[in-house]
Amino acid sequence: MEYAVVALAAFLGGVLQGVTGFGAGLVLMMALPMLYTVPSAAAVSGIIFLVLSIAMTVQYRESLQPKQIVLPLICCMVLSGSSAYFATVATDQVLIKRAFGFFLILLSIYYLFLHERFGERHMGKAAGALCVVVSGLCDGLFGIGGPLLVVYFLDRFETREARLGSLQLFFSINAVYTTVVRAVAGAFPPNALGIIMLGSASIGVGLVAANAIQSKIDDELLRKITYMLIGACGVLQLFNGLL
């Protein structure tokens, strides 16, 4: 059952990522906390998604602008590393699960009702700094730090390729660091290697499938369905944490 859930979540995440360009990590973190504690789920999800991030970094390597990501990356690494360690060694994992459920509900509301409105605005320095801080904390605590970073980097690059490549480089470096921190803190489950290999293969199959069916799918509808599922999973996590 455990392997089936991981394979299905990774496959669907790969399909969503391939069709919309976003969402593999979200789908993984919707499913994995049903099997593990939130820190363990974030550790497994982080490595599976790291494979995808590295592949996309290589794909856009000629458009990378690493100087643009240095300062926010350092800030994010400090916050995500410390919060990842805290979440892993915390004695009250039920509280972490409740907080994660609440976070998913807020994330669902943001994407369904606020994302397009904020995405069209130029972000000032104060708002940008807040985005980086919140992203670092959320990445460490829950393994999901990308949404606000995507908004932060939206108008900081001249081309789409430069933005995508540099953002994936950001994710890759930060994921390597937080993975080391989580490993030191003991976040990985006993059978992590088999789960990670299966998840990495499944997300690759999902990407291939997405390329084959991309023209036949309404990506906007797929996004909305995914955002509603995120909210539903948040309610389930919050409810389970209260039991």
Side-chain angles (χ1 to χ4, degrees):
M1 180 65 180
E2 183 178 358
Y3 287 92
V5 171
V6 172
L8 180 61
F11 173 77
L12 293 176
V15 171
L16 181 65
Q17 186 82 23
V19 172
T20 68
F22 181 72
L26 288 174
V27 175
L28 285 168
M29 283 306 293
M30 285 194 305
L32 294 182
M34 299 178 185
L35 303 173
Y36 312 114
T37 63
V38 173
S40 293
V44 172
S45 171
I47 291 193
I48 295 174
F49 190 66
L50 176 61
V51 174
L52 182 62
S53 292
I54 292 175
M56 292 186 68
T57 301
V58 172
Q59 179 182 352
Y60 294 106
R61 62 188 179 278
E62 295 182 359
S63 302
L64 295 178
Q65 296 180 13
K67 290 183 180 179
Q68 291 280 67
I69 68 172
V70 172
L71 289 179
L73 176 60
I74 293 172
C75 178
C76 193
M77 287 175 67
V78 171
L79 292 170
S80 62
S82 56
S83 56
Y85 187 85
F86 165 78
T88 302
V89 302
T91 56
D92 192 351
Q93 289 297 320
V94 174
L95 178 61
I96 298 294
K97 183 160 285 192
R98 291 178 191 170
F100 179 63
F102 186 63
F103 171 72
L104 286 182
I105 293 171
L106 291 179
L107 200 61
S108 176
I109 293 172
Y110 167 75
Y111 272 118
L112 286 171
F113 304 108
L114 302 174
H115 176 59
E116 292 185 2
R117 183 185 308 173
F118 285 106
E120 294 174 353
R121 296 181 180 180
H122 174 75
M123 187 173 293
K125 291 184 178 180
L130 181 62
C131 273
V132 173
V133 169
V134 173
S135 294
L137 292 173
C138 290
D139 181 66
L141 291 172
F142 310 125
I144 301 176
L148 287 179
L149 283 174
V150 171
V151 177
Y152 172 79
F153 282 118
L154 196 60
D155 60 355
R156 282 169 169 77
F157 295 94
E158 294 180 359
T159 66
R160 175 179 177 273
E161 290 75 16
R163 184 178 72 251
L164 287 175
S166 300
L167 187 58
Q168 295 306 318
L169 178 62
F170 183 111
F171 288 153
S172 298
I173 296 172
N174 189 64
V176 170
Y177 174 66
T178 54
T179 295
V180 172
V181 171
R182 289 182 173 116
V184 171
F188 285 94
N191 59 340
L193 182 58
I195 289 293
I196 289 168
M197 291 178 65
L198 175 63
S200 299
S202 299
I203 206 170
V205 173
L207 283 171
V208 173
N211 291 331
I213 63 176
Q214 188 168 7
S215 61
K216 303 176 182 178
I217 293 181
D218 184 342
D219 63 332
E220 185 63 27
L221 177 61
L222 185 60
R223 285 173 186 263
K224 289 183 178 180
I225 292 173
T226 302
Y227 302 152
M228 288 188 284
L229 287 175
I230 290 171
C233 286
V235 172
L236 287 175
Q237 292 292 335
L238 189 61
F239 179 74
N240 289 335
L242 293 173
L243 292 179

